[in-house]
Amino acid sequence: MKRYVFALLGAFSLSACAQGTDEAVQAQADPAASAVTAGEDASPGTPAANARNAILSINSQVGIESVADAPLPGFQEVIVSGQVLYVSNDGRYVLQGSLFDAEEKRDLSQAGLSLLRKRLLSEVPEDQRIVFAPANPKYTVSVFTDVECGYCRRLHEEIADYNARGIAIEYLAYPRMGPGSEDFRLMESVWCADDRRKALTDAKSGRRVPSRTCENPVGAHYALGQRAGLTGTPMIVAGDGTQMPGYMPPDALLAALQRLEAEGGGSR
């Protein structure tokens, strides 16, 4: 029995890291980010309360982003650390993994995650992002980026091509090496630069960026990325919260955004 509990606890590892890794990160992040307990106001004995209590009985330190009726009858959908879990209405059973609709040929678990990402990103002011945009963008995507990641650099090398296709790129910081690393400090210097766009381009090109400190959102972006389910960089998120499959060349990203728009989402 214990081995299954430990396996499930592994699903919450990102949340545990986000809460205990570095006090400076938490200070810069949303004060409520590490204490989100959705469903705590639900009446005792309700499916939402049972689901919340079941998750907290496994790991009392996690932040529960949302609790809602699941597409699977008799279950609640619970989002924890950017991951979707399904908890039976009585709180006894917890399922981990994607819920796929064989008839509609789509992953139903992505709907809740998309709504979460859209909400989280809507709370990030534009002046905390580094924006590369054409005059009248047709599409806007948020990109969690790292200055050291190869595909992040490749994406940035093609920034003019994305813009030429009407796609605005709004960068958020996600230094993969984590708080206290040189990578993290470099990204703080980028966000503290007088010309952030130039500093980011220099950093991604391997050119020297003067070390600077200031009040900056790098820690908050890092924590937000974990809450949004980031597993690698670059993480590209469309306007409706849909996560793209990693790096995509300009034409491929444009085609994906056009498909989303035809389905009723993707633009912003």
Side-chain angles (χ1 to χ4, degrees), residues 196-220:
R196 291 176 175 176
R197 285 162 48 103
K198 181 180 184 301
L200 183 63
T201 299
D202 286 346
K204 286 178 178 285
S205 302
R207 293 190 288 269
R208 179 179 176 274
V209 174
S211 179
R212 298 189 63 173
T213 58
C214 68
E215 184 177 343
N216 66 81
V218 173

Side-chain angles (χ1 to χ4, degrees), residues 84-155:
V84 179
L85 301 173
Y86 297 98
V87 184
S88 59
N89 285 343
D90 61 4
R92 179 173 180 180
Y93 301 104
V94 180
L95 302 178
Q96 179 183 353
S98 297
L99 179 63
F100 194 80
D101 187 320
E103 183 175 324
E104 296 189 12
K105 303 295 189 294
R106 66 190 184 97
D107 185 350
L108 299 179
S109 61
Q110 289 302 308
L113 283 174
S114 293
L115 289 174
L116 171 64
R117 295 189 195 103
K118 183 177 181 179
R119 175 175 64 80
L120 292 175
L121 288 168
S122 71
E123 298 169 0
V124 180
E126 186 170 344
D127 64 5
Q128 290 187 3
R129 305 167 182 241
I130 298 179
V131 179
F132 290 80
N136 296 293
K138 173 65 175 176
Y139 304 101
T140 298
V141 295
S142 298
V143 179
F144 286 89
T145 193
D146 180 29
V147 295
E148 301 292 344
C149 133
Y151 277 109
C152 296
R153 291 186 171 193
R154 182 173 176 182
L155 187 154

Side-chain angles (χ1 to χ4, degrees), residues 145-256:
T145 193
D146 180 29
V147 295
E148 301 292 344
C149 133
Y151 277 109
C152 296
R153 291 186 171 193
R154 182 173 176 182
L155 187 154
H156 195 67
E157 288 171 356
E158 300 173 310
I159 201 75
D161 295 324
Y162 291 103
N163 289 172
R165 287 159 177 76
I167 303 171
I169 304 291
E170 297 191 348
Y171 283 119
L172 292 89
Y174 195 86
R176 297 177 302 166
M177 299 305 292
S181 67
E182 287 298 324
D183 186 23
F184 199 97
R185 285 189 285 270
L186 176 55
M187 296 203 77
E188 288 187 313
S189 294
V190 167
W191 255 261
C192 289
D194 292 333
D195 187 340
R196 291 176 175 176
R197 285 162 48 103
K198 181 180 184 301
L200 183 63
T201 299
D202 286 346
K204 286 178 178 285
S205 302
R207 293 190 288 269
R208 179 179 176 274
V209 174
S211 179
R212 298 189 63 173
T213 58
C214 68
E215 184 177 343
N216 66 81
V218 173
H221 290 181
Y222 183 79
L224 188 149
Q226 292 181 321
R227 294 175 65 195
L230 186 149
T231 56
T233 53
M235 179 185 183
I236 304 174
V237 184
D240 68 344
T242 297
Q243 178 181 348
M244 298 298 173
Y247 162 80
M248 299 180 75
D251 285 334
L253 180 58
L254 176 61

Side-chain angles (χ1 to χ4, degrees), residues 37-43 46 48-50 52-53 64-67:
T37 50
E40 64 181 345
D41 294 330
S43 300
T46 62
N50 291 340
R52 174 180 174 274
N53 292 337
I64 299 175
E65 299 286 354
S66 66
V67 181

